[in-house]
């Protein structure tokens, strides 16, 4: 099978090439990958001429037009190297007989550990402390944090990543409470499920791990922020639009938060994985957020560990093999 790999970054190529080297394929089946830096969209779909499958990522535009071109070029399989597939027109794919596969869960701990890193970093102002010491400013002013030990962690969404975050918080000696539409039985020994209001009221640390849906859009807004404890630490590594940014800014100005750590934020689409350091970002709420000393932002790097990239590469290649062999798999996504 020949795969055209879109939106290639150097770390993607490294991890897929390494995985491919020793990847076991049945009966002499050959897997070959060619890489292009272009992302998959209607303008670049024609590059797939002569390939059997394409591999896309979170920002690929796999709309009806892209799919129609891919179909004409003979593509029968789209390998999404991510969990999400909101950018794929599944109805059109089905109509054209193109299969779509994804990587549902690659390393929950990667994201959960980053959530805790942001919580700790924002709490102890590590982003400030690092720069102060570089400027020979060894004073401690503005750096005071709180202990996490014996504090209350409130986890919203206790699926794979939320559960990993519960385990981490438990390991820190925190009391762990959670809110989810379903209870995760595996956590029953050390997590107490409460209502959302109760979680907001009791938690010293609040971390979001639910998906973005119609129900969760702007879940964190000025109403829910007002229900939080003063001095709370708030972390979002899930999806930007779970939080109404204007309201978060208002909450910060009201001194509600001891620390805010964000790996995702509403404006991120134009920023993610791009170097925009030379630009003047007009009307940017992100710039406003960054002006606060207690806010630490990273650029959607929660998933970005060696283990997670290796898991993504392994599952994507296995998906290619399973498709070729006609084997059943839970990784197919359908309309
Ligand atoms: P999952 O599907 O295992 O867990 C999601 C949990 O949220 C489930 O337990 C579900 O019942 C719960 N949930 C759904 N609707 C809810 C609601 N209205 N209120 C409360 N809980 C609700 O998903 P997983 O793998 O744990 O991922 C969670 C999120 O993390 C993803 O949706 C994605 O947005 C984000 N993510 C972020 C990454 C990053 O690099 N920062 C990487 C991967 C995922």
């Amino acid at each position: 099978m020949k795969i055209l790999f879109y939106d290639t970054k150097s770390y993607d190529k490294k991890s897929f090439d390494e995985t491919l080297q020793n990847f076991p394929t049945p009966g002499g089946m050959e897997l070959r990958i060619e890489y292009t830096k272009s992302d998959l969209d209607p303008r670049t779909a024609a590059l797939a001429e002569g390939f059997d499958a394409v591999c896309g990522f979170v920002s690929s535009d796999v709309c009806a037009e892209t799919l129609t071109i891919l179909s004409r070029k003979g593509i029968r399989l789209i390998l999404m190297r991510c969990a999400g597939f909101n950018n794929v027109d599944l109805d059109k794919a089905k109509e054209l007989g193109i299969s779509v596969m994804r990587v549902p869960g690659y390393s929950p701990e990667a994201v959960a550990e980053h959530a805790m890193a942001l919580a700790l970093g924002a709490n102890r102002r590590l982003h400030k402390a690092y720069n102060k010491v570089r400027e020979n400013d060894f004073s401690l002013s503005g750096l005071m944090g709180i202990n996490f030990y014996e504090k209350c962690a409130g986890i919203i969404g206790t699926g794979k990543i939320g559960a990993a975050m519960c385990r981490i918080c438990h390991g820190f000696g925190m009391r762990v409470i959670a809110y989810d539409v379903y209870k995760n039985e595996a956590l029953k020994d050390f997590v107490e499920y409460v209502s959302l209001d109760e979680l907001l009221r009791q938690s010293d640390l609040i971390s979001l791990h639910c998906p973005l849906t119609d129900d969760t859009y702007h879940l964190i807004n000025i109403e829910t922020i007002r229900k939080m404890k003063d001095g709370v630490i708030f972390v979002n590594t899930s999806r930007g639009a779970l939080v109404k940014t204007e309201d978060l800014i208002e909450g910060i100005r009201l001194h509600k938060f001891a620390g805010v750590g964000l790996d995702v934020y509403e404006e991120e689409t134009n920023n993610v994985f791009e170097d925009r350091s030379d630009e003047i970002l007009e009307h940017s709420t992100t710039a406003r957020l960054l002006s606060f000393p207690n806010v630490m932002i990273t650029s959607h790097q929660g998933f970005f560990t060696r283990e997670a990239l290796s898991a993504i590469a392994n599952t994507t290649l296995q998906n290619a093999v399973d498709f070729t062999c006609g084997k059943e798999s839970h990784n197919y996504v359908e309309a």
Side-chain angles (χ1 to χ4, degrees), residues 7-19:
D7 193 19
T8 311
K9 304 281 189 281
S10 57
Y11 46 80
D12 291 318
K13 184 171 185 316
K14 185 167 185 286
S15 118
F16 271 80
D17 278 350
E18 276 171 13
T19 308

Side-chain angles (χ1 to χ4, degrees), residues 62-136:
V62 198
C63 59
E65 201 184 340
T66 303
L67 287 161
T68 306
I69 301 166
L70 290 176
S71 169
R72 275 195 220 120
K73 299 292 170 193
I75 296 299
R76 287 284 151 262
L77 173 65
I78 296 178
L79 294 159
M80 297 302 289
R81 55 181 190 280
C82 52
F85 49 88
N86 51 301
N87 48 342
V88 183
D89 186 334
L90 292 177
D91 290 320
K92 190 70 185 175
K94 191 174 179 185
E95 182 192 316
L96 295 167
I98 299 179
S99 298
V100 181
M101 299 182 87
R102 66 171 183 141
V103 184
Y106 29 90
S107 176
E109 287 76 19
V111 185
E113 286 173 17
H114 191 64
M116 184 47 106
L118 282 171
L120 292 167
N123 174 36
R124 295 301 190 98
R125 307 276 192 275
L126 294 185
H127 52 304
K128 289 268 155 196
Y130 173 75
N131 284 322
K132 273 163 75 93
V133 173
R134 280 168 64 97
E135 297 291 332
N136 291 340

Side-chain angles (χ1 to χ4, degrees), residues 106 111 157-161 179-182 209-211 216 237-239 263 300 302-303:
Y106 29 90
V111 185
T158 51
K160 292 179 283 299
I161 298 171
Y179 168 71
D180 195 313
V181 284
Y182 300 106
H209 299 289
C210 55
T216 59
T237 55
S238 201
R239 281 294 177 265
D263 189 45
H300 210 132
F303 75 99

Side-chain angles (χ1 to χ4, degrees), residues 200-215:
L200 297 170
R201 201 178 62 75
Q202 290 191 32
S203 304
D204 301 289
L205 162 64
I206 295 175
S207 192
L208 300 185
H209 299 289
C210 55
L212 177 62
T213 62
D214 290 344
D215 287 343

